[in-house]
Amino acid sequence: NVDVSSFNDGTLTVTLDAEDANGNNAAQVTDTIAKDTVADASSVDIADSGADGVISSTDDLGHTQLSGTIEAGGRITELTISDGDTTITLNEGDYTLLHDGTWTANVDVSSFNDGTLTVTLDAEDANGNTAAQVTDTIAKDTVADASSVDIADSGNDGVISSTDDLGHTQLSGTIEAGGRITGLTISDGD
């Protein structure tokens, strides 16, 4: 028995030279075998349909695309997506795995909470070697923070009267940081 644990993965070659009892050399013989103890690295990616790096209400939440690679000829042993509270496990048939190791899946993320979504991939190669687990994350933000609006009178008594500066009535409020105002109106009803 020989310990081959220190050898690199690849082709191992055994060579035998021998002679008979009279000193005659036998023909040299060799044998080879592949050593494969480490699976190639896998990859995983989660993408939003808007390609802006955030899954928002304008994206197709029912068809969020997952994709990646595993070693050619290998298999996915576990593929999950989670919001931290709820986890969906994708089984064979929920994703497409090609022989070259590329894979894709579409998943419905509409039931997940807003926050960070994490995709986790476990795989092994054709020889059963486990690849290192890989993950990818994306933010899900489908609901804007609450906005506020305030109309103030210059007299601070809660009523706009003839003593207030009617030409400079102050409007103020807040929207989500980084957001934009898409409409701001003031009306008397007519």
Side-chain angles (χ1 to χ4, degrees):
N1 291 336
V2 176
D3 181 358
V4 296
S5 60
S6 64
F7 287 118
N8 294 326
D9 278 10
T11 301
L12 302 184
T13 303
V14 177
T15 305
L16 174 66
D17 293 305
E19 62 181 34
D20 65 14
N22 296 318
N24 298 310
N25 289 329
Q28 186 180 66
V29 291
T30 61
D31 192 22
T32 60
I33 193 167
K35 179 183 178 195
D36 180 12
T37 61
V38 179
D40 292 348
S42 300
S43 69
V44 63
D45 181 59
I46 182 171
D48 60 296
S49 59
D52 59 3
V54 175
I55 296 173
S56 66
S57 60
T58 60
D59 290 309
D60 184 356
L61 300 178
H63 295 93
T64 299
Q65 186 176 30
L66 310 179
S67 61
T69 60
I70 64 170
E71 185 172 320
R75 70 182 191 94
I76 294 173
T77 57
E78 186 167 52
L79 178 59
T80 62
I81 183 168
S82 176
D83 66 0
D85 293 325
T86 303
T87 300
I88 296 174
T89 300
L90 285 79
N91 298 305
E92 211 171 311
D94 296 331
Y95 53 83
T96 301
L97 174 61
L98 302 178
H99 187 69
D100 68 358
T102 58
W103 62 270
T104 58
N106 286 312
V107 65
D108 184 350
V109 299
S110 60
S111 65
F112 285 131
N113 296 321
D114 277 9
T116 300
L117 302 185
T118 303
V119 178
T120 305
L121 171 68
D122 292 297
E124 63 182 28
D125 67 13
N127 296 315
N129 299 309
T130 302
Q133 184 180 78
V134 290
T135 62
D136 190 30
T137 60
I138 195 167
K140 180 183 178 197
D141 182 7
T142 59
V143 180
D145 292 347
S147 300
S148 68
V149 65
D150 183 54
I151 184 170
D153 62 295
S154 57
N156 291 321
D157 60 3
V159 176
I160 297 175
S161 65
S162 62
T163 60
D164 291 311
D165 184 358
L166 300 178
H168 294 94
T169 301
Q170 184 178 11
L171 305 178
S172 63
T174 61
I175 63 170
E176 184 174 320
R180 66 185 182 93
I181 295 172
T182 57
L184 179 63
T185 61
I186 184 168
S187 172
D188 67 0
D190 291 328

